[in-house]
Amino acid sequence: MFGPDSGSASDPGLAGWLRLAAAPTFAVMALVTALSGDAGMICSAMPNTSPFSGMTLMYVLMSIFHGMPWLNLMARLRRSAARRV
C-alpha cells in the first residue's frame, strides 16, 4: 500500500504518513481559504468572487484526489480486524 519503506497497515513508514497527511492538509487549507474571504485575491483577478471558487475549489479537489491512501488504510484495517474475529 505505501511502498518499499512501509511496514504493516498500522505502521506505514514515512512515505505512508506523508500520503496520509495530504488529504487533511488540503481540507484545512480549503477551509481557511474559504473563511478568510481572500480567496479571490489569491488566484482570481475578478473581485467579489464566490468563496468556493479559485483556490478553495482547487484545495477541495486535491483533498478528494488524495483521499485514496485513507481508503486503502481503512480497507486494510477492516480486513485485519475481520481476520481476528
Side-chain angles (χ1 to χ4, degrees):
M1 174 167 107
F2 291 109
D5 68 328
S6 64
S8 66
S10 61
D11 182 22
L14 180 61
W17 286 115
L18 288 174
R19 287 184 195 101
L20 288 172
T25 301
F26 287 124
V28 168
M29 290 169 66
L31 183 64
V32 168
T33 304
L35 294 177
S36 71
D38 292 336
M41 292 175 47
I42 296 173
C43 277
S44 176
M46 297 173 49
N48 301 325
T49 59
S50 167
F52 296 106
S53 64
M55 292 299 287
T56 304
L57 180 60
M58 182 192 72
Y59 289 142
V60 168
L61 290 173
M62 289 179 74
S63 180
I64 292 169
F65 293 147
H66 287 281
M68 187 56 73
W70 283 99
L71 296 174
N72 289 336
L73 178 64
M74 287 187 288
R76 280 192 175 202
L77 291 175
R78 190 172 192 173
R79 279 192 301 258
S80 68
R83 286 184 203 146
R84 289 183 199 150
V85 173

